[in-house]
Amino acid sequence: MNHLLRGPARLATAATAALALSGCASFSSDGGAGQVSELTRERTGHAVSPQRSGADVDAAGARIDALLQQPLTADAAVEIALLGHRGLQASFAALGIAEADRVRAGRLANPSLGFGRLGGAGVAEIDRSVMFNLLGLLTLPVASEVAQRQFEQAQYQAALDAVGVAAQARNAFFTAVAAQELVKYHEQVKDAADASSELARRMLQAGNFSRLAQLREQAFQADATANLVRARHQAVAERERLVRALGLSGGQLAFQLPGRLPDLPAAALEPRDAEQAAIDARLDVRIARHQADATARSLGLTKATRFINVLEAGYANKSQTGEARQNGYQIELELPLFDFGATRAARAEATYMQAVHHLADVAVRARSEVREAHSAYRTAYDVARHYRDDVVPLRQRISEENLLRYNGMLASVFELLADARDQVASVTAAVEALRDFWVADTHLQTALTARSPGDAPAIVPGKAAAPTPAGH
């Protein structure tokens, strides 16, 4: 519908006010990265920041090179991952997109200009108009609030990605160190098997050993050789997994790992009110909560505009050859003749209920995952302490007794070698138990503060010691 009335000054004043209101929305100084960095620091002990320029990339590379000059630690691995992981920088790019959407939601849509000309028989008629989206102006505060919540959700998502990268780096570090340490013990088993097999061969030639016993020693040597080859490959595979987690390449690949895993803590962690702490601190719960809130706001906005889909107003004038120019205003309104907004309202309500049920599901899973992660952590701690305090010292005492028996000619050299193999097998199981503890510790911290830790590693009894060859 078109109305041509006198009063363009008042419309111009309204348009100016609208433009002033829409100019309030602006970009933040840090692009929202400060909040992401703080959330990440609270959960990992290290800050994280976007790399928006070549100088930022060079500074991060210099810090990574400095950290790699010393044998790697778990904390250094986390810091390197937060600095060098390219996938994490992609999350910051998504944060920039969310902020752009927030700023756009806080600004009035651009006006549209209309121009028309009709001519004939020496007469020309010209129409001119400037249209503003008044509905967008009326809903600007609500739309800005919704966009702000979506921006905050993007911040939580970026922090969630950062904590996930940090947890992956810690787990990869512990498994890589353990795999490297296990290679050393498999080498000791291989050396003992080689010595036992060679001694058995010589004693067979001298007629002091049975053929069956010699074959058993040879078979054990073959198994030890295969286990060593597999252990070396596993060490390479775990190191490469660590390389990927840290985002290293080129000359950075020559980093050095420590010779052994960190010691077991003096006492196991006993978090208080773990389930409630997870509900309060976990980032995935916060994301689901913000999503539900933003959807609720969107539902309110949908109800407010249910019967008004398009409402635009603006200044218009008309001129015709030989006549004075006419000024006025023009309003366009979409009439709900076929769709009264019921479909949009129903869709919004269903979307909101979807968000609510998703939040409840995330909360239920968070509580369960914390309980499971703490059980795995406590079990891993008890198993690792059992190997440290009982199994390994017991094997050491057995070895000392066998050495005394050998010196007193009460035990053969084969018994001494078999005991050495059993002792190394116990130490190997102890290393694996200590590795499982540190991985479980990472999973527990992740379950308490950030996200689902994934499938926790199964806690299984240590591998049985290799059977002592019989027949001698």
Side-chain angles (χ1 to χ4, degrees), residues 6 11 25 31 89 174 182 247 278 281 433 442:
R6 305 291 180 177
L11 283 173
Q89 294 302 318
F174 292 130
L182 289 175
T442 302

Side-chain angles (χ1 to χ4, degrees), residues 18 20-26 98-109 135-153 290 293-294 297-298 300-301:
L21 288 173
S22 66
C24 295
S26 61
E99 186 181 35
D101 291 339
R102 177 187 65 82
V103 174
R104 182 178 61 182
R107 296 179 178 179
L108 188 63
L135 181 61
L137 178 61
L138 295 175
T139 59
L140 189 64
V142 178
S144 298
E145 184 177 357
V146 171
Q148 175 63 29
R149 288 180 176 273
Q150 292 173 341
F151 175 60
E152 293 171 357
Q153 183 174 339
H290 272 72
D293 291 343
R297 297 289 181 177
S298 298
L301 177 60

Side-chain angles (χ1 to χ4, degrees), residues 31 82 110 213 240 334 458:
L82 293 178
N110 292 328
E240 290 300 327
E334 179 181 311

Side-chain angles (χ1 to χ4, degrees), residues 26-371:
S26 61
F27 290 92
S28 57
S29 59
D30 62 355
Q35 177 68 9
V36 176
S37 182
E38 183 61 26
L39 290 171
T40 305
R41 186 195 300 274
E42 291 173 355
R43 289 156 177 79
T44 67
H46 297 279
V48 62
S49 60
Q51 299 170 13
R52 297 191 174 98
S53 65
D56 293 339
V57 175
D58 292 341
R63 175 58 179 166
I64 291 174
D65 291 340
L67 291 171
L68 294 177
Q69 296 302 314
Q70 302 295 327
L72 203 61
T73 64
D75 285 341
V78 170
E79 185 176 357
I80 291 172
L82 293 178
L83 287 171
H85 199 283
R86 294 298 181 183
L88 185 57
Q89 294 302 318
S91 295
F92 280 109
L95 182 63
I97 295 172
E99 186 181 35
D101 291 339
R102 177 187 65 82
V103 174
R104 182 178 61 182
R107 296 179 178 179
L108 188 63
N110 292 328
S112 59
L113 300 177
F115 179 84
R117 183 182 185 279
L118 294 175
V123 178
E125 181 178 318
I126 299 175
D127 292 329
R128 310 172 188 86
S129 65
V130 179
M131 302 296 297
F132 295 88
N133 188 336
L134 292 185
L135 181 61
L137 178 61
L138 295 175
T139 59
L140 189 64
V142 178
S144 298
E145 184 177 357
V146 171
Q148 175 63 29
R149 288 180 176 273
Q150 292 173 341
F151 175 60
E152 293 171 357
Q153 183 174 339
Q155 288 179 307
Y156 283 124
Q157 183 61 52
L160 184 68
D161 294 340
V163 175
V165 166
Q168 184 182 27
R170 281 181 62 87
N171 284 339
F173 169 79
F174 292 130
T175 54
V177 173
Q180 175 185 269
E181 191 174 356
L182 289 175
V183 169
K184 300 176 183 178
Y185 293 113
H186 281 289
E187 288 174 346
Q188 295 180 23
V189 173
K190 174 66 164 53
D191 291 341
D194 289 343
S196 180
S197 179
E198 177 62 20
L199 181 60
R201 185 185 64 82
R202 294 183 180 182
M203 292 184 67
L204 177 64
Q205 291 177 347
N208 296 326
F209 211 59
S210 69
R211 181 63 177 174
L212 178 59
Q214 187 271 331
L215 290 175
R216 286 173 174 165
E217 294 294 340
Q218 186 178 353
F220 184 81
Q221 181 193 28
D223 291 339
T225 301
N227 290 336
L228 176 59
V229 171
R230 282 193 289 266
R232 285 173 175 168
H233 167 71
Q234 188 64 28
V236 172
E238 296 298 345
R239 185 182 178 91
E240 290 300 327
R241 177 173 169 241
L242 177 60
V243 166
R244 293 192 296 272
L246 302 186
L248 303 180
S249 62
Q252 299 172 331
L253 301 181
F255 64 89
Q256 183 180 358
L257 290 173
R260 57 192 301 271
L261 289 167
D263 293 332
L264 198 66
L269 177 67
E270 293 293 344
R272 300 180 60 183
D273 300 326
E275 294 181 38
Q276 186 60 47
I279 295 300
D280 295 337
R282 274 183 60 144
L283 293 174
D284 56 353
V285 175
R286 292 191 182 186
I287 289 175
R289 184 182 295 118
H290 272 72
Q291 182 179 3
D293 291 343
T295 305
R297 297 289 181 177
S298 298
L299 177 60
L301 177 60
T302 300
K303 287 183 176 180
T305 62
R306 180 173 178 178
F307 297 106
I308 304 176
N309 292 338
V310 176
L311 176 59
E312 294 182 342
Y315 168 77
N317 67 49
K318 177 180 180 181
S319 62
Q320 186 173 348
T321 304
E323 297 184 8
R325 176 180 296 182
Q326 296 175 295
N327 299 318
Y329 64 90
Q330 177 176 314
I331 296 178
E332 294 182 0
L333 174 64
E334 179 181 311
L335 298 177
L337 297 180
F338 305 105
D339 183 1
F340 288 87
T343 56
R344 292 191 299 118
R347 186 181 189 280
E349 291 173 0
T351 303
Y352 173 68
M353 291 308 301
Q354 182 185 47
V356 169
H357 289 307
H358 175 66
L359 172 58
D361 178 61
V362 171
V364 169
R365 286 190 290 109
R367 292 188 179 98
S368 175
E369 287 166 355
V370 166
R371 294 192 297 268

Side-chain angles (χ1 to χ4, degrees), residues 404-425:
L404 290 175
R405 287 170 54 83
Y406 174 76
N407 291 334
M409 296 184 179
L410 299 176
S412 69
V413 66
F414 290 103
E415 292 178 283
L416 202 62
L417 291 171
D419 176 70
R421 292 194 295 262
D422 291 344
Q423 184 179 359
V424 170

